[in-house]
Amino acid sequence: MAAVFFRKISRFALLICWLLSMTALLPLNDALAVDARSQSASVILTEKGVAAAQTGDLDAARRLLEEAIVSNPANARAYAELAAVQNAKGNRKLARKYYLIALAIDPVFPAALAGLARLNIMAGDEDAAKLLLDKLRLSCPACTETHEIERALNAGSSPSPEVKPNP
């Protein structure tokens, strides 16, 4: 009888400890959230990075886009633009990595889908590019990225690896 009583008490004590530990961890979620000021800074830094890439200053663009990602790690556009910069610098493997991160954040982000499709076309993997094109057609049939990839696949040539800002 005493053993049953102590077993019930120990379960109750474990439950209380578990609840206390969970409530202690809840404020951490708020601390990890990106505040509005950080999001705004990330958008501004992304715009500056895109402008630097358009002028041809790829190192400054890379630095600004990395700062935008630090400000808001969930900025899919910053990752996609950083991938475009890395692609323009000839770092295809790094560009692929950043496009995949952008797609992990936003699975239908047109610039990331198109950029990854361009990389697949350049690598000669037209089947993978066609799958990405299908996803582009479903998510954004009127986007310029969709039409660019369609033209590139129909022409059988690789699209230009130039850095283009996203609208």
Side-chain angles (χ1 to χ4, degrees):
M1 177 93 164
V4 174
F5 178 74
F6 284 117
R7 191 178 310 148
K8 287 183 180 181
I9 293 293
S10 65
R11 285 183 187 167
F12 183 71
L14 286 174
L15 178 65
I16 290 175
C17 289
W18 182 80
L19 287 173
L20 288 174
S21 65
M22 294 311 292
T23 56
L25 293 176
L26 286 178
L28 292 178
N29 291 335
D30 293 335
L32 295 175
V34 177
D35 63 349
R37 196 167 78 196
S38 293
Q39 282 182 322
S40 176
S42 182
V43 169
I44 292 168
L45 287 165
T46 301
E47 293 298 325
K48 288 180 180 180
V50 169
Q54 287 175 337
T55 62
D57 191 356
L58 298 180
D59 289 328
R62 180 192 52 80
R63 183 183 53 77
L64 288 164
L65 291 166
E66 287 174 349
E67 288 179 24
I69 290 167
V70 169
S71 292
N72 180 7
N75 186 343
R77 181 172 180 220
Y79 278 107
E81 295 293 348
L82 183 57
V85 167
Q86 292 296 344
N87 190 24
K89 292 177 80 172
N91 299 329
R92 308 264 188 267
K93 191 173 182 178
L94 204 50
R96 181 176 300 278
K97 173 186 169 184
Y98 289 132
Y99 282 131
L100 290 172
I101 293 171
L103 289 172
I105 295 167
D106 184 355
V108 292
F109 191 61
L113 287 169
L116 192 55
R118 283 186 207 99
L119 286 176
N120 288 333
I121 292 169
M122 285 185 234
D125 191 357
E126 289 193 7
D127 291 335
K130 287 178 183 176
L131 288 173
L132 292 167
L133 176 60
D134 290 342
K135 200 170 190 179
L136 265 170
R137 284 180 180 149
L138 288 173
S139 62
C140 190
C143 290
T144 58
E145 290 93 345
T146 306
H147 301 300
E148 287 174 7
I149 300 303
E150 285 174 343
R151 282 193 300 273
L153 283 171
N154 290 335
S157 64
S158 61
S160 63
E162 64 185 326
V163 177
K164 294 182 179 179
N166 297 322

